[in-house]
Amino acid sequence: MKPNPATLHSRATQRLFRWGLVLGLLAFTAFEELSLRPSLRRHHVTRFGQALADSLPNFLAPLLLGALYVTLFQKQTRQEVTRACLSVVAGLVLYEFAQLWMADRVFDVQDIVATLLGGLVAWLILRVGCT
């Protein structure tokens, strides 16, 4: 049985989209960590700016990890993408709670909210083109 060319094209497009997403998120994360975050802290911005500087990595983490996982392991169905996003978010939230017992680490509810929002956005984006 021959594979359907339309299916092959859509999978190739989906793979290209996901790798573009991963690379774009890596580039933005590098910019955020090396330039944006230090700049926001250095210039004593408003409370919103400070909260953004503190929680942006927690928002980006589920996006990047979810996109990387789904892309590397070629998850195709909505159920697989949902499971992958939930797993990433659960792991990151558990890590945030584990910081209660770690020296020199800070537990922050804002970080959990940012992780949940990032996971929701990751789930919405990664479902594009799923079967």
Side-chain angles (χ1 to χ4, degrees):
M1 183 176 214
K2 270 182 128 176
N4 183 350
T7 305
L8 291 176
H9 176 70
S10 69
R11 284 190 180 162
T13 303
Q14 184 182 47
R15 208 173 306 122
L16 184 63
F17 168 76
R18 287 178 175 175
W19 275 113
L21 181 65
V22 167
L23 294 175
L25 284 168
L26 278 172
F28 183 75
T29 301
F31 165 73
E32 183 270 333
E33 285 293 320
L34 299 173
S35 179
L36 180 64
R37 199 170 179 201
S39 176
L40 287 172
R41 287 195 169 140
R42 185 174 44 250
H43 294 2
H44 304 290
V45 293
T46 63
R47 279 183 70 186
F48 174 75
Q50 187 63 37
L52 182 67
D54 290 342
S55 296
L56 190 57
N58 294 82
F59 179 79
L60 293 174
L63 283 166
L64 182 58
L65 294 173
L68 191 60
Y69 180 82
V70 166
T71 303
L72 287 176
F73 296 105
Q74 299 180 1
K75 301 300 180 188
Q76 302 295 329
T77 67
R78 288 182 180 211
Q79 185 179 13
E80 290 173 328
V81 169
T82 299
R83 195 175 309 131
C85 289
L86 285 173
S87 298
V88 166
V89 168
L92 291 169
V93 169
L94 285 173
Y95 173 72
E96 189 66 34
F97 277 106
Q99 291 182 42
L100 288 167
W101 297 280
M102 292 179 183
D104 299 326
R105 300 300 301 175
V106 177
F107 171 81
D108 190 0
V109 174
Q110 283 180 323
D111 289 347
I112 292 176
V113 171
T115 297
L116 293 173
L117 289 174
L120 177 63
V121 170
W123 177 70
L124 291 171
I125 291 173
L126 292 171
R127 288 181 54 201
V128 171
C130 284
T131 55

